[in-house]
Amino acid sequence: MIDAGSPAPLPPASLPPASLPPASIPVVREHALELLHQMLLIRRFEEKSAELYTLGKIRGFLHLYIGEEAVAVGAMQALTMDDGIVATYREHGQALARGIPAGALMAEMYGKANGCSRGRGGSMHFFDVARRFYGGHAIVGGGLPVAVGLALADRMQGRPRVTACFFGDGAVAEGEFHESLNLAALWRLPVLFLCENNLYAMGTALERHQAQPDLRLKAQGYAVASEAVDGMDVLAVEEATRRAAGAVRLGGGPFLLELRTYRFRAHSMADPELYRAKEEVEQWKSRDPISLFMGRLRSWQLFDDADLGAIEARVAGQVDEAVRFAEAGPWEPLEDLTRDVYTPVHQ
Ligand SMILES: Cc1ncc(C[n+]2csc(CCOP(=O)(O)OP(=O)(O)O)c2C)c(N)n1
Ligand SMILES: [Mg+2]
């Protein structure tokens, strides 16, 4: 049916080419290059970690964050050094974006005494009190009550801080998620819940463990404000986290941000990945957060090959230095073996 009253559609020639920059570029060049530097540092640090794991230098569990870099880097921009961070066992990205030196993290994975947790935690238990980085939690959902407790302490002591709590989609199935959201909302605690929805909890797809797979909706049952954001777009993550953290900071109670992302690697180094199709992984890789961001910066003429070369060289130096630091680190002395393990016997 022809509707004579409606305007004719614009001819395709009048549409702007997809590569044209927007009227105002939403990022300052120095900041953009820093975001890119942090994402590339995470990527190269983890590629090196995987190599060192294969060589037996790193042992225990190792969960790579590759593919999810925009989440940690984007979100961390909205947090101050006074805010608290709680993360999961897949926390290399958050730790690096928080500014914990790569050497202290690599040494931790080597089990060396110069590691950020004195070599006792390994990949899953990074910790740095000075930078208010409270784990590294191996228990799925285990960080959520810790974050609520930190926020409660801040409230009771009148400190205007936010506690940001990263957790996976798998944690939403845990009781701790529901208890934590409920208490944080009831007491209007300054917690920023950051759900990294990478569509899988180990080998279980989201639709197989959640009756309601639209995770941001879970917050409604606890009267918590929530939003979902494209976790492959570092600028979108930064912008959404700034708004969410701002609302929490103003005393509006907790906020849940769902960051929709994907891990490109297996769940851990021990996972044969039999639960998802290679085509699906390839499809997501076409939305690689680093490539996407570089493409946008190029289209805005904020970035060129020389910038990429400089950033890659800086990152390679940081990763090499981290490995040197870990290799040169001491093992814990034998006499410390039972320290923090057994309490002294008082007769
Ligand atoms: C309480 C508890 N149950 C089970 C496990 C085993 N486990 C380790 S990782 C994981 C999947 C968690 O997935 P998700 O929260 O989505 O995080 P992701 O690994 O995708 O980052 C499970 C079930 C655990 N560590 N803790
Ligand atoms: Mg997951």
Side-chain angles (χ1 to χ4, degrees), residues 168-170 196 198-201:
D169 49 290
E196 305 182 291
N198 61 12
L199 302 176
Y200 289 92

Side-chain angles (χ1 to χ4, degrees), residues 63 68 88-90 138-141 167-172 174 176 196 198-202 209 263 267:
H63 306 85
E68 305 186 29
T88 72
Y89 48 84
R90 199 182 297 288
I139 301 301
V140 173
F167 56 96
D169 49 290
V172 173
E174 296 284 344
E176 283 158 305
E196 305 182 291
N198 61 12
L199 302 176
Y200 289 92
M202 290 181 88
H209 70 79
R263 65 171 156 72
H267 167 73

Side-chain angles (χ1 to χ4, degrees), residues 7-334:
L10 287 174
S14 69
L15 294 172
S19 61
L20 255 196
S24 81
I25 295 167
V27 64
V28 175
R29 179 179 137 87
E30 283 64 36
H31 182 59
L33 295 187
E34 184 49 29
L35 294 176
L36 189 57
H37 166 248
Q38 289 186 23
M39 290 200 289
L40 273 169
L41 175 61
I42 297 169
R43 179 75 53 100
R44 302 289 175 247
F45 178 88
E46 291 215 309
E47 287 166 351
K48 184 51 113 183
S49 305
E51 196 184 310
L52 292 165
Y53 191 89
T54 310
L55 293 172
K57 293 277 187 181
I58 296 173
R59 283 171 290 163
F61 285 100
L62 180 65
H63 306 85
L64 300 179
Y65 196 61
I66 290 176
E68 305 186 29
E69 295 91 341
V71 172
V73 171
M76 212 61 79
Q77 307 308 313
L79 302 166
T80 72
M81 289 310 285
D82 209 30
D83 294 331
I85 313 291
V86 179
T88 72
Y89 48 84
R90 199 182 297 288
E91 87 284 35
H92 303 171
Q94 284 82 3
L96 286 166
R98 184 57 168 181
I100 306 179
L105 302 178
M106 191 60 86
E108 186 56 39
M109 291 198 280
Y110 269 60
K112 295 286 185 82
N114 56 345
C116 63
S117 304
R118 288 195 281 128
R120 291 183 162 207
S123 161
M124 298 200 285
H125 301 105
F126 291 167
F127 212 92
D128 186 335
V129 175
R131 294 180 177 82
R132 305 208 69 234
F133 191 89
Y134 298 99
H137 293 265
I139 301 301
V140 173
L144 286 122
V146 173
V148 174
L150 286 166
L152 178 59
D154 287 335
R155 158 66 52 82
M156 292 172 82
Q157 299 190 28
R159 293 182 294 239
R161 292 165 165 172
V162 170
T163 299
C165 181
F166 293 87
F167 56 96
D169 49 290
V172 173
E174 296 284 344
E176 283 158 305
F177 168 83
H178 301 273
E179 295 166 43
S180 297
L181 254 75
N182 183 52
L183 267 192
L186 194 62
W187 295 341
R188 292 178 80 80
L189 299 178
V191 187
L192 178 57
F193 293 102
L194 297 166
C195 179
E196 305 182 291
N197 179 6
N198 61 12
L199 302 176
Y200 289 92
M202 290 181 88
T204 308
L206 182 66
E207 307 77 51
R208 292 168 68 94
H209 70 79
Q210 287 302 312
Q212 171 50 275
D214 193 344
L215 297 182
R216 90 209 127 109
L217 299 181
K218 306 278 182 186
Q220 286 180 1
Y222 302 102
V224 170
S226 68
E227 219 177 282
V229 63
D230 179 359
M232 303 311 244
D233 178 344
V234 68
L235 293 182
V237 173
E238 177 178 349
E239 199 265 332
T241 315
R242 279 193 192 283
R243 269 188 293 113
V248 174
R249 230 178 271 291
L250 283 174
F255 197 106
L256 182 132
L257 200 58
E258 179 197 343
L259 305 125
R260 295 183 174 165
T261 183
Y262 198 82
R263 65 171 156 72
F264 293 168
R265 298 292 185 103
H267 167 73
S268 72
M269 297 301 282
D271 165 19
E273 268 189 284
L274 301 176
Y275 48 85
R276 61 183 189 181
K278 289 201 168 35
E279 297 74 39
E280 178 187 303
V281 181
E282 288 314 308
Q283 237 177 342
W284 275 93
K285 281 185 178 170
S286 69
R287 299 208 65 237
D288 182 322
I290 298 179
S291 311
L292 270 187
F293 191 47
M294 289 198 297
R296 290 170 87 190
L297 295 182
R298 281 184 201 277
S299 76
W300 296 333
Q301 292 168 7
L302 292 182
F303 175 79
D304 59 22
D305 287 345
D307 295 315
L308 179 58
I311 294 176
E312 286 280 20
R314 182 176 164 208
V315 163
Q318 286 176 286
V319 173
D320 284 353
E321 178 48 36
V323 176
R324 251 196 309 277
F325 185 80
E327 289 280 346
W331 296 107
E332 189 169 25
L334 202 56

